[in-house]
Amino acid sequence: GGGGGALSTVLSFGGSGGSGVVIIRYTPTQDLAVDIAGSATGRLVGDSGAIPAGQFTLEGWAYLRSAVGQVLVSQGTSVNSKVYVATLGGTGATAGDLYVAWGGLANSLWTEGSLSVKPPVDRWFHFALTRDSSGAPKFFLDGTEIAIGNSTRLSTANPGGNLTVGGQFDGTGVANGLVDQIKVWGTALNATGVQNSMHSYGATRSNGVVVQSGASLLAHYDFNEFVAGAPELSRTGTGPSLTRGSALTSASYTDSQIIQTGTAHTAQT
């Protein structure tokens, strides 16, 4: 659901002797996102292993206030066993370049690499990191594939650790910006699937057709909570709930973190 909307009632009556059917439909009129705002306590943390071994897709929308040293989403247990979408820190020419990781070590080499491309700042953009069954990664920015350095290093390992939205799994990196519509698939979406999913709510497009045939949506976080303080639930009914801060037992996010967005989801239902 969205943070505010309208109820519509569809009445359907059968013929002679038929029974009446009343269908209540909720239509959201606004979409909500969570503002991490550069605060370590603003990170949202889920249970271990949300991103699976083998193939996966990790995608979402983000709005960054700065491109440098940002961590959008991550899962891992150590520097050599992790999945994340982030940007490089520092002050040199590469500061702010997108940087991703897609699993555990491969032949004693880290499976991570730079994209040599900086994400947009002060506007919403979509990102998607995929890993296929062979362990090869791909990255898409606003639906367009961007080459990853070291992408020939293959890893099918499950990095373990807690899924963390808006920061590094070990608490060292935090996003100064907003995130929304985080999805975890048990499938490596192809280019068409990524383009379909980025403007679709869940696994189904607005025309009722699935995003990609055979694709399995494991977790989906839309941040459209009606009550602050409750955990952010996965809309798939599976996958871990997210809670605010490093402790899984803490409250989720506060009212100040839930803000209205008139953003990139114009084709969502």
Side-chain angles (χ1 to χ4, degrees), residues 28-71:
T29 57
Q30 63 190 38
D31 184 74
L32 304 181
V34 58
D35 191 356
I36 307 301
S39 170
T41 59
R43 296 175 303 120
L44 303 176
V45 182
D47 296 332
S48 177
I51 300 171
Q55 57 179 315
F56 70 79
T57 298
L58 174 63
E59 65 165 310
W61 287 90
Y63 184 108
L64 294 177
R65 300 181 178 95
S66 168
V68 179
Q70 309 293 315
V71 183

Side-chain angles (χ1 to χ4, degrees), residues 231-245:
E232 171 63 23
L233 303 177
S234 171
R235 300 308 178 192
T236 61
T238 58
S241 299
L242 303 178
T243 53
R244 181 172 181 260

